[in-house]
Amino acid sequence: MSAESTEQRKMVRVGTRKSQLAMIQTNSVVASLKKLCHDVDFDIISMSTTGDKILDTALSKIGEKSLFTKELEKALDDGRVDFVVHSLKDLQSTLPPNMVIGAVLEREDPYDAVLMHPKHATKHLADLPENSVIGTSSVRRVAQLKRKYPHLKFESVRGNLNTRLRKLDEDEMYSALVLAAAGVKRMDWDSRISQTLLPDECLYAVGQGALAVEVRANDFDTLALVSKLNHEETLLRCVAERALLRELDAGCSTPVAVYTEIKGKELYMTGAVLSLDGSECLKETMQTTLSDTQPQQDTSSADLQHYVSVVAQTVSHQAMKAAEDLGIDMAKLLISKGAGDILSVARQQNAEGEKK
């Protein structure tokens, strides 16, 4: 009998949403951990969230934060699960005080993708007839695409990816859908992508394309376990993006968009704030130098530093602080040019939409 079989193996419970995409993402995280940790077993526990249950209202008009994370965070808080796998873009920029992001995995394609109705399979958005209806649940996409394609109409479309694709193919309402390319590719639907929206057409959402692992802040064993999954470049880019969102006090109901990249030691960020109808747009680009110093090491310390709720003992304090400061500085620049007023009006318009 092997030594491993005679010893008690550690069981780690993993929380996730129930959708097919969420399960694909969670299984990929667990598979990566299994390769790194041969003495640990994993039990995946799936559950429905508020955002999964309310399907007849646009996300921006539901009026509640943490739509896709609240129930999962409750399970994490009360110990039913040890960590939760999220699409990073679903996580609030400020987490509950006892929660942190313990890992940010390598980013899949962060851009938005256009999936056409079969009758328009060879077309791009610019080729569609006047008043064609485009389905998307994102105010960020609508605001940007209205500027680029004023001949099109945009309507909310809800449901998991399978449901939305079925609505596109079987109903005659939508000429196309705009979805996060990362989710489409993880579902192995690459062949349905007719067009990828690059930054000159549509900046992406904060954290889009990246997976995050949320952990209790005082669970140092689990933090040490999941930290093996961190992808430094993705993590630094997303720290900057999350800092922008937090400083703007924005969320899914407000059109905030980003683009980031790292070249050598330079982190570049383009940030934008738009009105809901796209008539107003503030866009700026900034950069910072990332310091190449020693990473954090001690995950057992209660003083482990976090930046916009992200911790990573494999990445230097200085680099994470520089990334966070870039996002904060970008937000302050946009606010100085009027972003606060644009966001205030957007929030008011969404609140009025809630009441109708």
Side-chain angles (χ1 to χ4, degrees):
M1 186 178 292
S2 69
E4 183 181 45
S5 64
T6 62
E7 295 176 2
Q8 183 68 38
R9 291 172 61 85
K10 181 178 175 64
M11 175 62 74
V12 174
R13 296 154 301 170
V14 184
T16 181
R17 292 167 61 193
K18 285 185 174 181
S19 73
Q20 182 181 355
L21 176 59
M23 292 300 297
I24 287 171
Q25 293 175 166
T26 301
N27 281 320
S28 73
V29 170
V30 169
S32 296
L33 284 172
K34 283 181 175 179
K35 292 177 182 177
L36 299 168
C37 311
H38 302 293
D39 59 344
V40 179
D41 291 323
F42 297 89
D43 180 21
I44 297 176
I45 299 170
S46 62
M47 58 194 77
S48 296
T49 65
T50 301
D52 296 315
K53 297 170 185 174
I54 303 176
L55 299 176
D56 59 350
T57 306
L59 291 176
S60 60
K61 296 180 179 177
I62 294 175
E64 184 175 337
K65 293 183 178 181
S66 306
L67 289 172
F68 295 107
T69 62
K70 185 176 180 180
E71 289 79 4
L72 292 164
E73 288 179 332
K74 188 176 186 304
L76 183 59
D77 185 46
D78 64 25
R80 280 177 286 151
V81 299
D82 298 302
F83 69 79
V84 178
V85 178
H86 299 283
S87 293
L88 182 54
K89 68 184 178 68
D90 290 339
L91 277 174
Q92 293 290 306
S93 56
T94 301
L95 299 185
N98 58 333
M99 309 287 178
V100 293
I101 295 170
V104 178
L105 284 75
E106 184 172 4
R107 199 170 209 163
E108 175 56 274
D109 186 341
Y111 300 115
D112 291 310
V114 179
L115 282 66
M116 288 288 178
H117 186 284
K119 67 184 178 185
H120 299 304
T122 61
K123 295 179 180 177
H124 286 187
L125 291 178
D127 306 320
L128 291 174
E130 187 89 12
N131 294 323
S132 294
V133 176
I134 311 303
T136 177
S137 57
S138 163
V139 294
R140 170 190 56 83
R141 294 177 188 133
V142 172
Q144 293 182 89
L145 294 176
K146 277 185 174 181
R147 295 174 65 83
K148 187 77 174 179
Y149 304 105
H151 70 294
L152 301 177
K153 290 186 175 181
F154 298 87
E155 297 289 346
S156 175
V157 57
R158 294 291 317 286
N160 60 41
L161 288 187
N162 304 77
T163 300
R164 283 184 256 180
L165 189 63
R166 186 169 63 251
K167 288 179 179 179
L168 173 66
D169 289 346
E170 296 179 3
D171 297 348
E172 290 301 317
M173 178 176 179
Y174 303 104
S175 295
L177 300 179
V178 182
L179 304 169
V184 175
K185 292 182 176 183
R186 287 176 182 137
M187 294 286 284
D188 200 23
W189 294 347
D190 305 54
S191 62
R192 289 300 305 266
I193 296 176
S194 300
Q195 178 181 2
T196 297
L197 299 175
L198 298 178
D200 62 328
E201 293 180 287
C202 193
L203 301 178
Y204 44 77
V206 165
Q208 184 160 307
L211 300 181
V213 179
E214 189 176 15
V215 185
R216 290 183 296 275
N218 62 355
D219 186 352
F220 303 117
D221 288 342
T222 302
L223 278 170
L225 174 71
V226 303
S227 68
K228 305 174 194 297
L229 300 174
N230 270 318
H231 184 258
E232 183 171 343
E233 178 177 323
T234 301
L235 184 146
L236 291 170
R237 289 169 61 191
C238 289
V239 164
E241 294 170 18
R242 285 173 57 78
L244 167 69
L245 197 67
R246 183 188 64 185
E247 191 71 15
L248 290 172
D249 191 25
C252 67
S253 64
T254 47
V256 174
V258 296
Y259 170 80
T260 55
E261 66 175 327
I262 293 177
K263 295 181 179 179
K265 296 299 179 184
E266 296 298 304
L267 170 58
Y268 296 85
M269 166 182 272
T270 298
V273 171
L274 300 97
S275 58
L276 290 180
D277 65 2
S279 61
E280 295 180 86
C281 177
L282 297 174
K283 183 188 293 186
E284 297 291 341
T285 298
M286 300 177 72
Q287 71 187 83
T288 192
T289 301
L290 299 171
S291 176
D292 187 20
T293 55
Q294 288 301 308
Q296 306 178 61
Q297 292 296 336
D298 184 9
T299 49
S300 67
S301 169
D303 295 325
L304 188 65
Q305 293 291 315
H306 64 82
Y307 301 87
V308 276
S309 302
V310 179
V311 300
Q313 85 268 32
T314 55
V315 182
S316 79
H317 280 295
Q318 289 85 350
M320 293 179 74
K321 183 68 166 62
E324 183 181 55
D325 287 345
L326 176 62
I328 292 171
D329 290 344
M330 172 63 77
K332 289 179 176 177
L333 176 60
L334 290 168
I335 290 169
S336 74
K337 294 178 178 292
D341 292 337
I342 293 174
L343 292 174
S344 179
V345 170
R347 292 187 192 98
Q348 183 178 354
Q349 289 174 334
N350 279 320
E352 291 169 354
E354 264 179 72
K355 297 172 183 176
K356 292 179 180 179

